[in-house]
Amino acid sequence: MATRTDDQSSENAIEVSFEFFPPKTEKMEQTLWASIEKLAPLNPRFVSVTYGAGGSTRERTHSTVKRIVDETSLKPAAHLTCVEATREEIDGVIQDYWDAGIRHIVALRGDPPSGIGEKYVPFDGGYANAAELAAGITKIAPFEISVGCYPEKHPESASYDADLDLLKAKIDGGATRAISQFFVETDNFLRFVDRARSAGIDIPIVPGIMPVGNVAGYLRMSAATGTSVPDWFKERFDGLDDDPETRQLVALSVAAEQVQKLADQGIQQFHLYTLNRAETAFALCHILGVRPDKSLAA
């Protein structure tokens, strides 16, 4: 295991996982693998690789997770969505993952092909949502299944209760972990956990931490996903559009505040959206007390 600070007992050890996306170019692939080599000695619980609609994107995801299986000691989790595919096609991908040695799937409905924020229409002959997808995965092989959750309610859900009912359906389908959409205010995540526990949901609910890369893009995604962004957050990044180095430092400080507050409230698992860069994720792990295991270093 990755070593941790002396004041953390094994019972209170922090666990981390990392999310990557499949590279589109040779340069992006070099960046991704440099990041994987940097983060691997932290011995994450798993690393996930995102997945999009369309054959080429799916192939890149499969290729990336297969390489992680073959060339590292990391445990990859392959994302899978319901977008633009029949059940038969998706079932084939599930079986391909199992045959490749992958034992963990992050089952998601996926974003509408027209873009985040647009109305989602299930594909004809496909799985309607992540609950159906999780159940379909369970029928094919005994995968570990993670699913998504929204601390501030999915923008298409009629109510908080409806949102929690869908999460329960995902659990009934076989999900054993929920990873949250990114958020800004830690209290929003903690309130969501309280509501879920009160509703009888007892699986791990892992906060998804996304440091800011591009501010404009972050704000667009926040608006589309129903993530509230307080004024103090916007003010932190005011005037930094043309200063990426300072922006990265500020983004790290904001994310550091998030993980420290959550750890202080007893949260022990964290999922870090790396954007395929190691620096910020590595720093956040250091803040959380997660240290490299030198025996795992490349």
Side-chain angles (χ1 to χ4, degrees), residues 163-173 196 199-201:
D163 215 34
L164 290 174
D165 286 343
L166 180 56
L167 180 53
K168 289 178 181 178
K170 295 175 186 179
I171 296 168
D172 290 342
I201 294 170

Side-chain angles (χ1 to χ4, degrees), residues 237-285:
F237 294 94
D238 189 33
L240 296 179
D241 292 350
D242 299 319
D243 188 351
E245 292 183 357
T246 303
R247 188 171 67 239
Q248 184 178 7
L249 292 173
V250 174
L252 172 59
S253 72
V254 172
E257 289 176 15
Q258 284 185 307
V259 299
Q260 190 61 66
K261 288 179 180 178
L262 291 168
D264 288 345
Q265 291 297 315
I267 301 299
Q268 294 177 272
Q269 295 184 37
F270 295 83
H271 188 68
L272 306 181
Y273 299 109
T274 69
L275 306 178
N276 285 13
R277 308 290 303 198
E279 297 86 356
T280 299
F282 194 92
L284 292 175
C285 289

Side-chain angles (χ1 to χ4, degrees), residues 40-58:
L42 296 174
N43 196 18
R45 187 182 182 97
F46 63 91
V47 297
S48 69
V49 181
T50 62
Y51 175 100
S56 62
T57 305
R58 295 171 188 171

Side-chain angles (χ1 to χ4, degrees), residues 192-206:
F192 171 76
V193 174
D194 287 343
R195 286 194 298 269
R197 299 303 183 225
S198 296
I201 294 170
D202 59 3
I203 64 171
I205 300 174
V206 183

Side-chain angles (χ1 to χ4, degrees), residues 180-199:
S180 86
Q181 173 66 269
F182 73 94
F183 52 90
V184 177
E185 297 280 20
T186 56
D187 285 348
N188 289 334
F189 174 80
L190 295 170
R191 279 193 291 267
F192 171 76
V193 174
D194 287 343
R195 286 194 298 269
R197 299 303 183 225
S198 296

Side-chain angles (χ1 to χ4, degrees), residues 6-283:
D6 293 339
D7 61 347
Q8 287 181 313
S9 67
S10 58
E11 291 79 11
N12 295 315
I14 298 292
E15 292 187 325
V16 296
S17 54
F18 303 120
E19 181 169 301
F20 303 107
F21 60 84
K24 296 180 180 179
T25 66
E26 183 176 345
K27 183 177 180 180
M28 292 172 68
E29 183 162 2
Q30 292 172 354
T31 299
L32 168 62
W33 285 96
S35 296
I36 288 175
E37 289 178 2
K38 174 74 172 178
L39 295 172
L42 296 174
N43 196 18
R45 187 182 182 97
F46 63 91
V47 297
S48 69
V49 181
T50 62
Y51 175 100
S56 62
T57 305
R58 295 171 188 171
E59 289 169 8
R60 288 199 301 271
T61 300
H62 190 277
S63 175
T64 301
V65 294
K66 183 66 167 64
R67 185 175 173 186
I68 292 172
V69 168
D70 292 343
E71 300 183 19
T72 79
S73 60
L74 298 172
K75 297 178 180 179
H79 285 221
L80 188 61
T81 75
C82 306
V83 178
E84 293 194 309
T86 64
R87 289 185 179 223
E88 182 178 3
E89 291 170 330
I90 293 173
D91 289 351
V93 173
I94 296 167
Q95 187 63 55
D96 286 345
Y97 281 155
W98 185 263
D99 294 342
I102 296 151
R103 297 295 181 261
H104 185 176
I105 290 179
V106 180
L108 306 166
R109 188 200 68 179
D111 299 321
S114 52
I116 299 176
E118 299 298 320
K119 181 176 176 57
Y120 182 85
V121 178
F123 192 76
D124 188 26
Y127 289 105
N129 54 41
E132 288 190 5
L133 177 57
I137 293 168
T138 300
K139 290 179 181 178
I140 292 173
F143 284 95
E144 179 179 0
I145 301 173
S146 295
V147 294
C149 62
Y150 280 68
E152 297 175 76
K153 186 179 75 64
H154 193 286
E156 296 176 35
S157 290
S159 65
Y160 285 111
D161 287 342
D163 215 34
L164 290 174
D165 286 343
L166 180 56
L167 180 53
K168 289 178 181 178
K170 295 175 186 179
I171 296 168
D172 290 342
T176 55
R177 176 188 299 101
I179 301 171
S180 86
Q181 173 66 269
F182 73 94
F183 52 90
V184 177
E185 297 280 20
T186 56
D187 285 348
N188 289 334
F189 174 80
L190 295 170
R191 279 193 291 267
F192 171 76
V193 174
D194 287 343
R195 286 194 298 269
R197 299 303 183 225
S198 296
I201 294 170
D202 59 3
I203 64 171
I205 300 174
V206 183
I209 305 298
M210 180 182 286
V212 174
N214 177 283
V215 178
Y218 190 96
L219 294 177
R220 283 195 302 272
M221 189 178 297
S222 298
T225 57
T227 301
S228 61
V229 180
D231 289 340
W232 67 260
F233 180 90
K234 299 174 185 177
E235 291 169 359
R236 293 272 185 102
F237 294 94
D238 189 33
L240 296 179
D241 292 350
D242 299 319
D243 188 351
E245 292 183 357
T246 303
R247 188 171 67 239
Q248 184 178 7
L249 292 173
V250 174
L252 172 59
S253 72
V254 172
E257 289 176 15
Q258 284 185 307
V259 299
Q260 190 61 66
K261 288 179 180 178
L262 291 168
D264 288 345
Q265 291 297 315
I267 301 299
Q268 294 177 272
Q269 295 184 37
F270 295 83
H271 188 68
L272 306 181
Y273 299 109
T274 69
L275 306 178
N276 285 13
R277 308 290 303 198
E279 297 86 356
T280 299
F282 194 92

